[in-house]
Amino acid sequence: MVDTVKKADGIGLAAPQVGKSVKLIVINLEKNGIPLFPMYNPRIVSRSFKKLEIEEGCLSLPGIYGLVKRPKGVIIEAENSEGKTIRIADEGWVARVAQHEIDHINGKLIIDLIKKYSQGEELTKRWRTADTQIEN
Ligand SMILES: [Zn+2]
């Protein structure tokens, strides 16, 4: 999965996208200074009231982009590769990518959420670093 997400220059990948029925996602935000990390059994335990509508794309749906509204901030619990529970509170890209990838695990794709399709030009413009706290 790490190879796949890097080769595709993707920012995240969920196991169902590579034909695996396990609850595993990989977040690849190395370009934003966040080391690549896996999350096993990720679940969202809290969502902010504030929502953001941001353009998203998907490695499984090449060429399809659209505005997707999601909570701005989430708290996620997951297990790391050592099986230790981690808790991540984020309001930036980690929150956004994790919500997208967790949807994959639950069989939901952006085409289920897009209300307005777009051209993909916003994605690169909106790239920004997130304030991320990883608590063990
Ligand atoms: Zn996707």
Side-chain angles (χ1 to χ4, degrees), residues 12-14 17 56-61 100-101 104 108-110:
L13 191 69
Q17 291 181 274
E56 291 188 18
C58 180
L59 292 178
S60 295
L61 303 164
H100 177 114
E101 303 308 335
H104 274 293
K108 203 192 271 183
L109 295 170
I110 53 171

Side-chain angles (χ1 to χ4, degrees), residues 8-26:
D9 200 22
I11 55 178
L13 191 69
Q17 291 181 274
V18 290
K20 305 274 184 227
S21 315
V22 288
K23 292 192 170 186
L24 168 62
I25 66 173
V26 171

